[in-house]
Every structure is written in structure tokens, then in C-alpha cells.
Amino acid sequence: MKNTFFAFALLLFISSISSCVVLSPKKYKALLGTKDSLYTAFNEGLIKIENLEKEVGKLKKDTTLMAEELRDLQKNYNEMDASYKKLKNNSSSEITKLSGDLAAREKRLKEVEEVLRKRDEATNALKEKLQQALLGFTKSGLTVEIKNGKVYVSLTDKLLFPSGSIIIDEKGKQALTQLANVLKQQPEINIAVEGHTDNQKINNLGQIKDNWDLSVLRATSVVRYLTENEKVESVRMTATGKGEFQPLGTNANADGRSKNRRIEIVLSPKLDELYNLIK
């Protein structure tokens, strides 16, 4: 294209020169001016063409790069879309599974709450029965109360034993007999007998060496009376000695020490049903 344009301009110039033989000097100068203008325009045209060709090359290169970027973006989009669809499907199944788990747990929670409600009702009913059965011994230091879902029957040592003894006296046997009558009607109740003492040192008690011995032997005497004499099932019974280490009052005075010397019979419902629910 450049050569064609240049040839055309040159031909025009030669034709003009050839005709200058008959032209006046003024027209000849004008023609030379036209030639210079054409030459300048021609050079400027060549520069513009060169710049345009560079621009076209740059645009082609940019277009190629953009096409590659577009392919990469399309590929990434396809991968992300596939991942999203997979995640969506997995999420749906996970949500369904989670909903099922929550429903099952809610059902189990309601069942546990129902068992605990029944336990509390049974515990309160047992307390009422014991209070009625042992009403005649409350002035002798017997109390019945509920703590942590269990019924505690507390008997001071003076109600059960002579001073320093592990042999239950007659008044104590009467109280235990009344207690046994209620316990035998409640086969679902476990029975723990705990012996407690004050912190006074044991003196001249023969085989009883210290407060540990005294608390254990007194608890064992109560268990033995309930099982052997009153026929309460042995499998429901346990005997433990707490010594002086769970006092109710101060050991600094006689009243406090009297509260601390006691037998506590702890009655707790069997929770097999509850344990099965929470496994």
C-alpha cells in the first residue's frame, strides 16, 4: 500500500515537471510547493500507518490475552459451580440428618424429664410417709428432709444408742421398726446407712479404736437390725462410716457435738430407667 501511494505521487510529480516546460515560473513554483506538501503528507501518512499497525498488533495481543483470561475464568466458574452443587447436596443431607438427631435428642430429653418428675413425686411421697410413720420420734432428734433428690432420715445417737455404745437400745429399735415398715413398701428405694461422730477422742471403748470405728460399727448395727430383724432386703443396703468429717454443727459446744453424732439413712430411688435413657 505504501509503494502504490508513493508511485502514484511520483507519477503525478513527473507529469507535473514534464508540463512545466510550458508553465510560467509562478506556476512552476506553485507546483513545487504542491510537491513538497504531497511529500510531507505522504511521510505523515506512513507514520500514521505504522502507528496504526502497532496499535492493531497491540490490540490483537490484548485480545489473545483476554481470550485466555476468559477461558480461565470460565474454567474456574465451572469448577466453583460444580463444588457449590456438591456442597448444596451434601448440606441438604447433613441438615436432614441433623434435624433427625435433634428430634431424637429432644424426645430423649423429654423422657428424662418425665423420669425425673416421677422421681421427685416418689421422693416427696416417701418423705410424707416417713414423716407420718416417725412422727412420734421427732422430739427425740429425728428429722426427715429432701436433699439432691434423696430423702435423708437423720437420727441422733441418743435416739439409737447408749453413750459410747454400738448396741441399739429399745427406743431406737422402735424407730427403726417404724422406718422398716415404710421401706418394705418401697422396693424401688436404695438404702444407705451412714454413721457420723463428733471430733472428741475415743477413750476406754475396748475394740473401738477411734471415731472411724465407732461410725462404721454403728452404721453396721443399724443395717444388721433392718435386714435381720425387720427383713429389709440386704441387696438394697449399704453401710458406711463418715467419722467426724461431715459435721452438721460446730464441735466447740455440746449442742453442736450432739447434732454431729448421728445416723443418717439416705433413701434414693433406683434410677435404672434414667440411666438407660442417658446411655
Side-chain angles (χ1 to χ4, degrees):
M1 182 178 179
K2 293 179 185 179
N3 294 333
T4 301
F5 181 79
F6 180 74
F8 174 75
L10 183 60
L11 179 61
L12 180 63
F13 175 71
I14 292 171
S15 298
S16 298
I17 292 298
S18 299
S19 63
C20 283
V21 178
V22 293
L23 293 177
S24 66
K26 183 178 180 180
K27 289 183 177 181
Y28 180 72
K29 288 181 181 179
L31 184 59
L32 289 176
T34 300
K35 182 208 71 165
D36 291 339
S37 297
L38 288 172
Y39 186 76
T40 301
F42 173 72
N43 288 334
E44 290 177 351
L46 289 178
I47 293 172
K48 288 182 179 180
I49 289 172
E50 185 177 355
N51 290 336
L52 287 172
E53 287 178 345
K54 289 180 180 179
E55 189 68 26
V56 169
K58 182 180 178 182
L59 288 173
K60 287 182 178 179
K61 183 178 180 181
D62 291 344
T63 301
T64 301
L65 292 175
M66 290 178 67
E68 291 176 354
E69 291 180 359
L70 180 60
R71 284 194 297 271
D72 290 341
L73 288 172
Q74 186 66 47
K75 180 181 178 181
N76 291 337
Y77 170 79
N78 292 337
E79 291 175 351
M80 292 179 64
D81 186 57
S83 297
Y84 169 76
K85 290 178 179 178
K86 183 178 180 181
L87 179 62
K88 184 178 179 181
N89 292 334
N90 290 340
S91 297
S92 299
S93 59
E94 287 296 325
I95 290 173
T96 301
K97 180 181 178 182
L98 180 59
S99 298
D101 290 344
L102 289 175
R105 291 183 182 184
E106 183 177 359
K107 179 182 178 182
R108 180 171 293 186
L109 178 60
K110 289 181 178 179
E111 291 173 345
V112 170
E113 289 175 344
E114 179 63 15
V115 171
L116 292 175
R117 185 188 65 79
K118 291 180 179 179
R119 184 205 67 176
D120 291 340
E121 288 182 355
T123 300
N124 288 322
L126 177 60
K127 177 188 175 184
E128 293 296 327
K129 290 180 180 180
L130 289 170
Q131 286 178 327
Q132 292 297 320
L134 301 171
L135 186 62
F137 301 95
T138 54
K139 292 183 180 180
S140 300
L142 183 147
T143 60
V144 181
E145 60 181 336
I146 295 176
K147 293 187 293 185
N148 301 321
K150 301 176 182 180
V151 178
Y152 283 71
V153 180
S154 182
L155 306 95
T156 59
D157 67 332
K158 64 182 179 182
L159 176 59
L160 293 174
F161 304 100
S163 179
S165 174
I166 61 172
I167 299 174
I168 302 172
D169 61 21
E170 289 303 315
K171 191 171 185 180
K173 290 178 181 179
Q174 292 176 15
L176 293 177
T177 297
Q178 293 291 92
L179 175 63
N181 290 336
V182 176
L183 296 181
K184 284 186 287 187
Q185 299 172 19
Q186 306 288 330
E188 73 284 357
I189 299 298
N190 290 320
I191 307 161
V193 180
E194 300 177 352
H196 298 265
T197 69
D198 58 26
N199 67 346
Q200 301 299 297
K201 188 176 180 180
I202 298 296
N203 292 313
N204 301 320
L205 291 181
Q207 65 178 5
I208 302 174
K209 297 178 181 180
D210 53 27
N211 284 321
W212 281 116
D213 274 354
L214 181 60
S215 64
V216 171
L217 291 172
R218 282 183 167 179
T220 303
S221 293
V222 171
V223 168
R224 187 174 291 112
Y225 182 83
L226 290 173
T227 56
E228 294 180 358
N229 294 73
E230 299 300 329
K231 308 305 179 185
V232 178
E233 294 175 301
S234 300
V235 70
R236 299 165 57 192
M237 307 287 295
T238 59
T240 58
K242 303 291 186 177
E244 63 197 68
F245 301 103
Q246 292 186 10
L248 292 178
T250 177
N251 283 304
N253 56 56
D255 288 340
R257 291 192 294 273
S258 178
K259 292 179 180 178
N260 295 334
R261 297 190 302 270
R262 68 196 188 279
I263 290 291
E264 284 191 343
I265 301 175
V266 184
L267 310 175
S268 56
K270 293 180 179 179
L271 298 179
D272 295 344
E273 182 180 0
L274 178 60
Y275 293 150
N276 289 333
L277 285 174
I278 63 178
K279 281 181 179 179

